[in-house]
Amino acid sequence: MILGIGTDLANIDRIAATLERFGDRFRNRVFTSAEQRKAERRADVAGTYAKRWAAKEACSKALGTGLRMGISWRDMAVSNLPTGQPVMEVTGWAKERLDAMTPPGHVAVIHVTLTDDHPWAQAFVLIEARPVDG
């Protein structure tokens, strides 16, 4: 069953300007160290950050809260499987919210997809509840 969906569109040039203006202050407030390492290794640094920004926004919407009610940017982190597929991990209050919305006897699975076409980066997040095999 679907527990939540969210999408976001981010302007890559806006994220690039924010990175230029605020540098590490912005990076450290919004992105985990693993996300920063990933972005800084990419040819399109700003595009990589913009996609992860959009994913965090989309995830917060799928959780039904937006970025309020105690959810921190760093409570949501995007990484990639060896195949390149993006995955979202939640911690802190975002994890508490996910656990609260997951029905008994189910496990929550967060699906995320990212795309960009300069100057836009987009993310879509779907939270699914799967029955626990028992």
Side-chain angles (χ1 to χ4, degrees):
M1 99 184 50
I2 295 173
L3 297 179
I5 60 170
T7 189
D8 192 66
L9 186 66
N11 185 288
I12 296 169
D13 293 333
R14 182 175 151 248
I15 297 296
T18 302
L19 287 163
E20 180 70 26
R21 182 172 179 197
F22 297 105
D24 286 343
R25 189 168 134 215
F26 172 67
R27 283 181 193 87
N28 294 332
R29 179 173 164 254
V30 176
F31 302 101
T32 66
S33 57
E35 288 173 314
Q36 291 179 45
R37 283 191 305 275
K38 173 83 170 181
E40 297 298 328
R41 286 193 315 259
R42 302 301 282 269
D44 183 10
V45 172
T48 302
Y49 279 122
K51 285 185 280 190
R52 277 148 178 76
W53 170 281
K56 291 167 187 264
E57 286 274 8
C59 184
S60 71
K61 293 171 185 175
L63 289 168
T65 62
L67 283 159
R68 58 183 171 87
M69 297 177 59
I71 291 183
S72 163
W73 288 102
R74 292 169 53 99
D75 284 348
M76 300 166 286
V78 179
S79 61
N80 297 86
L81 297 176
T83 60
Q85 177 183 347
V87 292
M88 176 73 68
E89 180 185 352
V90 293
T91 58
W93 200 91
K95 174 73 168 119
E96 291 176 23
R97 171 70 180 151
L98 180 63
D99 291 345
M101 46 189 295
T102 304
H106 290 75
V107 63
V109 179
I110 302 174
H111 304 274
V112 60
T113 187
L114 308 172
T115 192
D116 65 291
D117 186 7
H118 196 88
W120 301 107
Q122 183 178 29
F124 184 82
V125 171
L126 182 136
I127 302 174
E128 171 191 14
R130 290 185 187 161
V132 175
D133 295 331

